[in-house]
Amino acid sequence: MNGTRPGWLALRQGQAVDVSSIPLVDADDFASHMLAGRGRGGRLANLFGRRLPDGGVRLFAFLAFDTDARIEVCAADLPHGKLTYPSVTAHWPAAQAFERELAEQYGVFPVGHAWLKPLRYHGTDDGSAAPWGPFEASEPIPGNYPFYRVEGEEVHEVAVGPVHAGIIEPGHFRFQCHGEEVLHLEVVLGYQHRGIERLLLHPNATRSAIVAETIAGDATVGHALAYCTALEALAGARVSLRASALRGIALELERLANHVGDLGALCTDVAFLPASAYLGRLRGEYLNLTLEICGNRFGRNLLRPGGVRFDISTTMADSMRERLRRLERETLEVLDLMFSQSSVLARFEGTGKLSEERADEIGMVGPAARACGLRRDVRCDHPHGVFQFSHIPIAVETTGDVYARAAVRWLEVQRSLEFLVELLGNKPEGPVFEPIGRLRPNAMALGMAETWRGESMHVAFTDEAGKLAFLKVKDPSIHNWFGLALALRGVAISDFPVCNKSFNLSYAGHDL
Amino acid sequence: MIKTGIYGLLRVLSWLPPLPRTCALVMVAFGVVSGVLGVLYALAQHDLKRLLAYHSVENIGIIGMGIGMGMLGGALGKPALVALGYGGALLHVLNHALFKGLLFLSAGAVIQATGTGEIDRLGGLARKTPVNAAFFLLAAISICGLPPLNGFVGEWIVYGALFEGTRSVPRLSAGVSALGVVSLALMGGLALACFVKVFGVVFLGKERTGTRVARATPGAMRAGMGVLAVLCVAIGVLPGLIVPLTGAGVQVIADLGPMEFERALPSVLAPAGRLSLLAMVFFGLIATLAVVRRGLIQKNAVALPSPVATWGCGYAAATPRMQYTASSFAWSLLSSFRALLCPERRLHAPAAVFSEAAHLESHTVDMAEQDLFAPLFRAASRVSRMIQTLSWTGEPAMERRSARASERLRPFVAVVVGATAAVRRGSIHVYVAFIAFTLLVVFAIEVWVAPGAEGHSAPISVMQGAPQ
Amino acid sequence: MTVLRAIGAVPEAVAVLALPPMLLSIIAKTKAWFGGRDGPPWLQPYYDLMKLLRKGVVYSRTTTWVFRAGPIVNLAALLCAATLIPVFSDDTLLGFGGDVILIAYLLALGRMLTVLAAMDTGSSFEGMGASREVTFGTMSEPALFLSFVVLALATKSLSLAEMLGAPLQAAWGDVAPAMLLVVAALLIVLLTETCRVPVDDPATHLELTMIHEVMVLDHSGPDFAYITYAAALKFLLLGSILVHAALPHASWALWIDAPLRVVELAVLAMLVGVIESSLARLRLQRVSLLLAGAFVLSGLAAVLTFYRTHA
């Protein structure tokens, strides 16, 4: 690997390494070590902790170097009784959610963190106090949360959620407003915390794959793909090209369904009826294609470590191509209508702007980051499986507003459709499923996937017996929620729904 | 207090011959400016009493518009316009006294009960002082000119005058009248916004910091308010009784025979008694709907284990800060009119990724105070300083020159300075004295200038003894 | 005599009162057609009202009598206005000289009490709706009154029945452009006052963007039925003014007039449905510009009329 620096271990996605080969740095130097990595062009892809047997916590940091498909990892040990270290967030805001998670899970105190508040509202794993004090389960969530306030008698607060008017997930939004203007938005989540990472360690690998599919229901294939990639890497298994292609088809169908649905929902939010109705129907059509492959509209039970469980016959592929061609025509027609309607564009343009610097600083990923001009796409940057052979160009916009987020989706819809039509006509041959063997002991592997929301990352650790010992899941939403809060400053509160929909982040994925 | 000026104006008008059309139009224009700016500034206020004071400015505007239309009628020789304009103005003077009195008493009760007049510190008073709240609401409906209360009757007649004015022949007068209609509509809407803001924030919703220790309204105060409230309702429901009385007033101001007034009104508006019928229909409908609702609710009663909270998206720890503040309520309207009144907002907004301390406060500078009166007062106090230092010798040349000038104008300057100082200090006696003095001056001018003019026999006869 | 007239007006009144929910149904059907859907049944608004009337009521502990009075006074004010506005024929039940002002102020009274009922809940959502409602209500009022000025000038009357009757027909012949502008201004006022796209979105479920719906978030049961019906009635009344202003004619026999006006109102409802289907909502800050536009339209109409009538 070129460009590796001391104190870092370079790896690629789908690659397993020995846990012992991950370099350890001193906890006090951890932050500066990370900042040096940032200086070399690294992007904070993950930062998490793992409880050590002696009660201490080992921190793992993953920096992504997107231009040369490289991930660098380092670790630092916090001894039991002294779970503090200088915070990374103080200099690099991208770490804020991760360090809050550390504080919440293990009671680690990142000194100098400017926004140290509960992330998911649960107690630490051993019941010790988090930096903000002990967790009180009797309090209504998040009744005693230290909300930020804009002072002044004339300011009013708007508290939205946890129960929302639409069929969406629970979350609490606290606006500091004057008149119609939002001065500040604080997003407080945690209502959906299920303990996914513990559930994933189920001894039966099949059960664990089912859990991985439920991390974020609308990104079933994306998370399953990252999970499978990580496990296959640990087993040293190679998936056949045909299975990889099928995974790619499922992933892009998921992207199409969600992007089309989101664009329709954006139209609903600005009361542009025709596009909203047609895109809503078209979303169903894309979901039905997935249904035809695996019997589930959201692609459940399709991906398993070792391949996919359903094959597509040639006749089926032909009929799917046929339908995709028709859907492509219809979808692009409706999207043309939507993007040529000046009353729609008037609502989108300039709403909820986020600058490229801000987006980079807080480490955003996915379409929301690409809308700000950041070229980040796992399919291109860290290609694995079918994406190593057929490339999908990155769709980038620069304005960072609702329009840009919608336009990125529009472009991605077009490109996914092209990709699918091509791949369905030209599937490689081979078996679709081969059970994976035993996992390599004392190893770590990582799997990434560009879900339709952005980068998901599963990091798996095995113990000395080759059993799955620890699994860390990262949903793209954990990067992006903070971006939504920042984009809302100074925006009219009536534009919040359309802003929120343009990000369309996952609550369950954030709360895990 | 302000009504004294109106009284003076009307008295003077009653002695003068019909003034030229321009004067009437200027009067209407004054009414428009005073009305619209008055209500806009009222909307921007954070203090209950200041807010009500600005509403007086608005109501003077409405009265001014009525008087202006009356003057226009005089100038154009249209008795209908005279009757409606002056009639509406006079009625509004009376109505304003009633509902504004009620509002000030009610606001006084609020301040007495809570110790503060800051609107954004109050809240939820309707549960602690329900009677006072009812009186305030009644007066608020009335001051917004809404039926079926007295405020509507007055504005209805003024509207009648303005609509009639749009039919007058010179296009300019017609245009000004149309402007008057539009402004009155705008003022009505803004007044509604303003009183919804006040009543909604002070009396409704959850209690804010200032209302924790609210005391009940004293009985004597309630009785006083009750009388005013009854009068407000009575005039609103039975305008047929009071409108003819204003006819008498109009006859004094303008040379209009009783029959002429009687005939003038119906040519534009229906007899005011017609409003009584509608009021009865309205109250009948309310009663019917209320009875039906009661029946339905009793039939389908819901048994709740405990009192429920307002829907708050399932959030269990709601605070009083989570309701609209008066300032937030008015802000979108104020910023729509920012060309007229420059609302200012001192906002230290969160800007960094992790928000630091932030603060917001807004206020609207009174342009009349800042750009007109303040320089005026500053100039006046400079002049008065000059007057005081007249006897001094060691003055700079320029100031001596102006001092010499002011020596010639000394009596006049003294009057102006005294008047402005009195207004500034708010000493009522001096103010009244100056009004009387001004009236006298106008009177004198009238007597010297007017002998050639025709059609004002009665006032002249009073002035028989004056030097000719 | 008056009694006889009142009895004669009963069937007409019943028809007027039964019509409003159907207009909403026509809008919904039009929108459904544009969206490629079947839409709800034709009688759905009536079913909804019946359902609400049979339901119990839940009151928040924050509310006072103002909250309970809001829906009643609002509906009473609109019903009262209904006696003054010509719907089927040119005649009204209780119309009189100067009733235009009363009509506008009755609408304002209904608005005031609705808004206060919203403020009574102490919820920031409803405060938000209240603030928006009074802001846009205030701004639509000058346009409405200026339109009234034009109509009054053109017909030399201050009674709405006459302002929209046969004399207006002559005015259309005289100053057609001005009348056209007035109709356009009245359409904008109608869309604003009845909370339709592009001002408000009656179909949305998002508290933060709504105007009318968010104000009535806490009302339930018969109270909510009153509010829903009052909203439909407001559409009918303002729609009638618009239809009469656009297509004035002297009264014919009621059996010709009534079906004709119903058809015209249905066409208006379809037009509103088409507008809702072809336009996205305006940004809230832009609504005041739309209303300023309505004001300018009626202002131009006034100038045109002045030049004609004051020649």
Side-chain angles (χ1 to χ4, degrees), chain A residues 251-500:
Chain A
L251 186 70
E252 294 311 306
L253 277 176
E254 182 176 86
R255 187 181 323 278
L256 274 174
N258 280 295
H259 278 2
V260 167
D262 277 356
L263 289 166
L266 280 171
C267 285
T268 314
D269 283 1
V270 299
F272 185 55
L273 202 72
S276 134
Y278 282 105
L279 291 173
R281 176 178 71 73
L282 288 167
R283 169 177 176 266
E285 302 256 1
Y286 290 113
L287 289 177
N288 287 346
L289 284 173
T290 313
L291 173 84
E292 248 170 64
I293 299 176
C294 66
N296 183 285
R297 289 174 24 116
F298 297 96
R300 293 237 171 134
N301 301 323
L302 177 59
L303 277 70
R304 286 290 176 270
V308 291
R309 290 186 52 221
F310 298 91
D311 198 2
I312 301 179
S313 67
T314 317
T315 50
M316 191 172 159
D318 287 344
S319 92
M320 279 177 75
R321 274 182 75 183
E322 206 55 34
R323 279 170 65 184
L324 274 171
R325 286 226 177 82
R326 182 175 54 79
L327 286 176
E328 178 173 21
R329 216 172 39 246
E330 280 185 49
T331 310
L332 296 185
E333 230 167 64
V334 181
L335 288 177
D336 274 339
L337 170 71
M338 170 184 168
F339 281 92
S340 60
Q341 188 75 23
S342 54
S343 62
V344 173
L345 297 182
R347 291 296 306 276
F348 287 178
E349 283 171 357
T351 306
K353 277 184 109 127
L354 207 57
S355 70
E356 188 179 340
E357 296 75 44
R358 251 308 136 81
D360 183 44
E361 198 179 11
I362 61 173
M364 282 177 46
V365 295
R370 294 195 280 277
C372 302
L374 296 173
R375 302 182 63 85
R376 288 175 185 174
D377 190 327
V378 176
R379 291 173 296 171
C380 297
D381 300 335
H382 306 276
H384 190 73
V386 69
F387 298 107
Q388 285 170 310
F389 308 107
S390 38
H391 287 284
I392 299 185
I394 302 186
V396 180
E397 283 282 329
T398 50
T399 45
D401 48 8
V402 172
Y403 170 78
R405 290 186 280 274
V408 163
R409 287 184 167 93
W410 184 24
L411 281 171
E412 291 188 2
V413 164
Q414 297 175 28
R415 288 171 183 175
S416 294
L417 279 165
E418 286 164 17
F419 173 85
L420 277 174
V421 170
E422 193 198 309
L423 198 61
L424 277 168
N426 189 16
K427 280 197 316 312
E429 291 304 316
V432 294
F433 186 77
E434 266 177 281
I436 57 170
R438 290 181 58 80
L439 306 184
R440 174 171 153 188
N442 283 324
M444 182 202 83
L446 98 151
M448 293 161 82
E450 182 74 14
T451 71
W452 62 273
R453 252 190 210 106
E455 169 189 294
S456 72
M457 183 192 264
H458 289 224
V459 185
F461 292 80
T462 48
D463 57 14
E464 55 275 9
K467 259 184 61 192
L468 209 54
F470 182 74
L471 223 154
K472 181 67 205 169
V473 179
K474 183 201 77 178
D475 187 84
S477 305
I478 202 149
H479 291 288
N480 287 4
W481 273 114
F482 208 67
L484 171 65
L486 290 179
L488 251 286
R489 287 189 192 163
V491 168
I493 194 167
S494 53
D495 282 334
F496 170 70
V498 68
C499 269
N500 187 23

Side-chain angles (χ1 to χ4, degrees), chain B residues 181-230:
Chain B
V181 172
V182 171
S183 319
L184 196 51
L186 183 65
M187 278 145 67
L190 287 169
L192 189 149
C194 189
F195 278 95
V196 165
K197 164 186 124 166
V198 176
F199 189 77
V201 172
V202 172
F203 289 97
L204 303 178
K206 289 187 208 96
E207 294 168 7
R208 291 188 180 79
T209 48
T211 41
R212 300 270 149 73
V213 287
R215 276 169 294 165
T217 318
M221 218 159 166
R222 275 195 239 170
M225 289 195 271
V227 172
L228 289 174
V230 166

Side-chain angles (χ1 to χ4, degrees), chain B residues 251-264:
Chain B
Q251 285 157 35
V252 173
I253 302 165
D255 233 358
L256 217 57
M259 291 318 289
E260 233 172 323
F261 181 81
E262 301 275 290
R263 257 182 285 122

Side-chain angles (χ1 to χ4, degrees), chain A residues 147-159 174-185 493, chain B residues 46 118-122 201 208-209 319-331 345-350 357-363, chain C residues 123-124 128:
Chain A
F147 283 103
Y148 173 79
R149 268 175 73 147
V150 176
E151 297 299 328
E153 278 168 359
E154 298 168 42
V155 178
H156 74 269
E157 291 180 8
V158 180
R174 183 68 63 88
F175 298 87
Q176 310 284 322
C177 291
H178 182 241
E180 293 281 334
E181 185 187 343
V182 177
L183 304 173
H184 187 266
L185 163 64
I493 194 167
Chain B
H46 303 311
E118 277 291 311
I119 297 169
D120 275 331
R121 276 181 211 152
L122 300 167
V201 172
R208 291 188 180 79
T209 48
T319 67
R321 225 170 106 92
M322 287 175 211
Q323 50 184 340
Y324 244 56
T325 61
S327 173
S328 277
F329 188 86
W331 189 252
R345 200 165 68 161
R346 244 167 279 148
L347 170 62
H348 178 66
H359 187 85
L360 178 137
E361 113 185 62
S362 77
H363 81 144
Chain C
S123 143
S124 48
M128 202 181 291

Side-chain angles (χ1 to χ4, degrees), chain A residues 92-143:
Chain A
W92 195 1
Q96 61 90 18
F98 298 119
E99 294 195 319
R100 284 162 68 189
E101 181 187 51
L102 282 172
E104 188 161 56
Q105 285 181 339
Y106 306 117
V108 168
F109 185 22
V111 180
H113 192 302
W115 205 252
L116 201 55
K117 303 177 179 196
L119 187 69
R120 300 185 176 121
Y121 231 77
H122 61 74
T124 53
D125 61 347
D126 60 356
S128 61
W132 46 79
F135 174 73
E136 286 187 37
S138 58
E139 285 286 327
I141 326 173

